[in-house]
Amino acid sequence: MAFDLEAEVRDLAARRDIHDCLCRYMRGQDRLDPVLHRSAFHDDAWVDCGLMNGSADAFVAFAQGFLGDIEGSQHIIGQVQLTVNGDAASGEVYFFAWHRLHEEGVPTDLLVAGRYIDEYACRGGDWRIVRRRELVDWAKSTPAADQFLKDNALPMGARRGADFSETRNWPV
């Protein structure tokens, strides 16, 4: 069997571009950037996150509203298993997510771990999600315990364009 360098490069480029799509998705959620969040989906995409299912536009509006109503979140990508077949691909993406809520006035951390079961398509050279179902493997809610951060005045992340990664306000 001969090695097909061109096919290998196409496969690697697809994996790179799908990973970039996944990163846009996560960053768009955490920084409350609906345009970036939406850029992870093709126009006809369908999403089922358990709390809602529907179009990409409906999902992004739902997720941005839910996440915008809480104090903060961080979504982390774990292992990613992809199968690429030409201009189509499927994948299983592990994730871990932290959400800062207030339950009865008490700062609470909701930790969720699960997987995204995805279908992707490359259209016009652009890899994006066309189908996504979120599966939750476990979740835990616990009172917040981050006084260390406040006591030591550590730089904190921000949202809606105020994060250092977006402002890059370096000290003079």
Side-chain angles (χ1 to χ4, degrees), residues 137-163:
D137 290 319
W138 64 267
K140 179 180 181 180
S141 182
T142 183
D146 54 7
Q147 193 59 43
F148 172 82
L149 298 172
K150 294 173 183 146
D151 290 346
N152 291 287
L154 295 173
M156 301 289 290
R159 305 184 307 171
R160 295 187 174 95
D163 192 73

Side-chain angles (χ1 to χ4, degrees), residues 37-72:
H37 195 187
R38 177 62 175 80
S39 76
F41 298 98
H42 280 298
D43 288 341
D44 61 344
W46 174 85
V47 183
D48 177 359
C49 70
L51 299 175
M52 71 79 55
N53 66 69
S55 71
D57 290 330
F59 169 75
V60 169
F62 166 79
Q64 291 286 316
F66 173 81
L67 295 169
D69 287 343
I70 65 174
E71 190 175 322

Side-chain angles (χ1 to χ4, degrees), residues 9-19 21 24 39-45 82-90 118-131:
V9 170
R10 276 194 313 274
D11 182 81
L12 291 170
R15 293 170 187 280
R16 175 204 61 205
D17 293 348
I18 292 168
H19 189 265
C21 168
R24 290 193 317 269
S39 76
F41 298 98
H42 280 298
D43 288 341
D44 61 344
L82 297 172
T83 301
V84 179
N85 186 8
D87 287 338
S90 60
D118 291 338
E119 301 293 328
Y120 311 93
C122 184
R123 299 177 184 161
D126 189 16
W127 282 97
R128 295 184 187 206
I129 299 164
V130 291
R131 304 242 184 286

